[in-house]
């Protein structure tokens, strides 16, 4: 199972973006993008991840244009 960070990195790469480009698009820094993609502690709310895990769920990213279908 891919982590949220792994899913974000895969989508960034699929779109041919660098970490710096994604950071600019999102209004954050390139090190923040890197930390999130590496699932660094504190990059994503540890509480939210604990709840997801406790419920036996996983995060799956869906492009916005596909979410309405």
């Amino acid at each position: 199972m891919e982590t949220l960070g792994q899913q974000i990195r895969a989508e960034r790469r699929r779109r041919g973006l660098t970490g710096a480009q994604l950071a600019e698009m999102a209004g954050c820094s390139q090190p923040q993008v890197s930390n999130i993609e590496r699932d660094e502690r504190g990059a994503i709310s540890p509480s939210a991840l604990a709840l997801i895990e406790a419920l036996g769920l996983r995060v799956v990213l869906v492009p916005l244009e596909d979410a309405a279908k």
Side-chain angles (χ1 to χ4, degrees):
M1 172 173 33
E2 285 188 316
T3 66
L4 180 59
Q6 290 168 335
Q7 291 180 55
I8 291 170
R9 177 183 289 133
E11 183 62 19
R12 175 181 60 76
R13 288 179 174 169
R14 186 187 73 74
R15 294 179 185 210
L17 297 170
T18 66
Q21 289 169 321
L22 179 56
E24 184 175 331
M25 291 168 62
C28 63
S29 70
Q30 189 280 324
Q32 286 175 303
V33 171
S34 182
N35 287 343
I36 290 168
E37 289 184 349
R38 289 192 323 263
D39 296 300
E40 293 287 325
R41 185 175 181 90
I44 300 169
S45 168
S47 298
L49 292 176
L51 293 174
I52 291 166
E53 186 175 327
L55 292 168
L57 301 174
R58 67 179 172 152
V59 176
V60 178
L61 302 180
V62 177
L64 290 175
E65 61 269 11
D66 294 342
K69 293 179 183 177

